């Protein structure tokens, strides 16, 4: 049984704080029925990329024939986690991962100036976000973590060639959680819950991510 004192919502709000990746369709919600217009109920339809807002990438995102969302069990998205504050570093290094000693079989989440500067929930896209270096990704593999999270739209540097960090992590079966907001979360240990939608054949999904303290 999980015991906790506080629940930290680390998700950005779709349609208010989220932004779409350049070239991807944006989040859009349309009313098709409204109580305010005299209908019996309010009903809406949404359209968006699976990589918008706080979302989870599976290996199928970059690897042909790899695991997609519908091959996982709910327990795979409930993990012991450590939040690492990298302060004002421009990128996450291997040393930061090693110093954090993330739990094997758990998750490691990086709190950067993307959160503390209130950029990740600003609703504006920025290209110079703090990200992981490939050496940091390999350190996560070496520590046998199951999920890596970052408070940026991508775990790689924006515009990098070949998405090396994604490929290092996903090739090792490590899930990637992007666009989390760790502004009000301190460094330390938590339980992460980031359940995706149960989408058949999908490579990614938006999630409502929370940390239990």
């Amino acid at each position: 049984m999980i015991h906790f004192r506080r629940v930290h919502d680390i998700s950005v709000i779709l349609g208010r704080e989220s932004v779409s990746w350049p070239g991807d369709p944006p989040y859009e919600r349309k009313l098709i029925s409204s109580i305010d217009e005299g209908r019996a109920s309010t009903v809406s339809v949404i359209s968006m990329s699976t990589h918008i807002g706080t979302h989870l990438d599976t290996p199928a995102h970059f690897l042909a024939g790899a695991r997609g969302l519908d091959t996982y069990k709910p327990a795979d998205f409930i993990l012991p986690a450590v939040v690492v504050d990298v302060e004002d570093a421009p990128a996450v290094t291997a040393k930061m991962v090693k110093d954090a000693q993330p739990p094997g079989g758990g998750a490691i989440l990086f709190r950067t100036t993307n959160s503390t500067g209130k950029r990740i929930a600003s609703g504006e896209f920025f290209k110079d976000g703090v990200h992981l270096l490939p050496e940091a990704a390999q350190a996560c593999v070496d520590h046998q973590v199951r999920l890596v999270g970052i408070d940026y739209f991508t775990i790689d540097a924006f515009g990098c060639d070949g998405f090396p960090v994604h490929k290092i992590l996903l090739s090792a079966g490590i899930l990637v959680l992007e666009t989390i907001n760790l502004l009000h979360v301190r460094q330390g240990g938590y339980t992460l819950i980031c359940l995706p939608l149960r989408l058949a054949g999908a490579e990614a999904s938006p999630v409502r991510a929370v940390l239990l303290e």
Side-chain angles (χ1 to χ4, degrees), residues 112-128:
T112 79
T113 53
N114 300 330
S115 287
T116 58
K118 300 183 180 181
R119 302 177 81 193
I120 196 62
S122 68
E124 298 181 2
F125 191 88
F126 53 98
K127 298 180 179 181
D128 57 343

Side-chain angles (χ1 to χ4, degrees), residues 16 44 90 101 108 120 144 151 162 165:
R16 186 182 306 166
S44 57
Q101 290 297 308
I108 183 168
I120 196 62
Q144 299 181 321
D151 53 2
V165 173

Side-chain angles (χ1 to χ4, degrees), residues 148-159:
V148 177
I150 189 75
D151 53 2
Y152 187 44
F153 313 119
T154 171
I155 207 159
D156 276 288
F158 180 82

Side-chain angles (χ1 to χ4, degrees), residues 130-142:
V130 183
H131 53 277
L132 263 70
L133 297 176
E135 65 176 43
Q138 186 57 53
C140 291
V141 174
D142 295 342

Side-chain angles (χ1 to χ4, degrees), residues 10-205:
I10 60 172
S11 313
V12 301
I13 303 172
L14 285 171
R16 186 182 306 166
E17 299 174 342
S18 63
V19 297
S20 58
W21 188 258
D24 285 358
Y27 171 86
E28 186 176 12
R29 173 177 174 264
K30 289 184 178 181
L31 285 173
I32 58 175
S33 176
S34 173
I35 295 173
D36 293 337
E37 296 178 353
R39 300 292 183 88
S41 63
T42 295
V43 179
S44 57
V45 60
I46 60 174
S47 62
M48 59 184 175
S49 162
T50 54
H51 299 269
I52 197 169
T54 305
H55 67 278
L56 193 72
D57 291 346
T58 70
H61 182 32
F62 276 102
L63 307 171
R67 293 186 72 180
L69 277 176
D70 52 3
T71 68
Y72 290 86
K73 297 178 180 179
D76 294 326
F77 310 112
I78 304 173
L79 300 168
V82 61
V83 172
V84 179
D85 191 339
V86 305
E87 299 179 344
D88 59 354
V92 178
T93 66
K95 185 178 185 302
M96 293 172 184
V97 176
K98 294 172 183 176
D99 290 347
Q101 290 297 308
I108 183 168
L109 311 178
F110 295 101
R111 182 179 189 263
T112 79
T113 53
N114 300 330
S115 287
T116 58
K118 300 183 180 181
R119 302 177 81 193
I120 196 62
S122 68
E124 298 181 2
F125 191 88
F126 53 98
K127 298 180 179 181
D128 57 343
V130 183
H131 53 277
L132 263 70
L133 297 176
E135 65 176 43
Q138 186 57 53
C140 291
V141 174
D142 295 342
H143 279 78
Q144 299 181 321
V145 303
R146 292 173 58 192
L147 182 148
V148 177
I150 189 75
D151 53 2
Y152 187 44
F153 313 119
T154 171
I155 207 159
D156 276 288
F158 180 82
C160 71
D161 185 36
F163 299 94
V165 173
H166 274 91
K167 290 179 180 177
I168 291 169
L169 296 175
L170 297 176
S171 294
I174 297 173
L175 297 167
V176 173
L177 181 63
E178 295 169 323
T179 319
I180 53 178
N181 183 5
L182 298 173
L183 174 62
H184 300 295
V185 178
R186 296 173 298 178
Q187 179 167 289
Y190 299 86
T191 296
L192 170 68
I193 302 176
C194 56
L195 294 169
L197 298 174
R198 200 175 186 185
L199 303 173
E203 83 297 342
S205 171

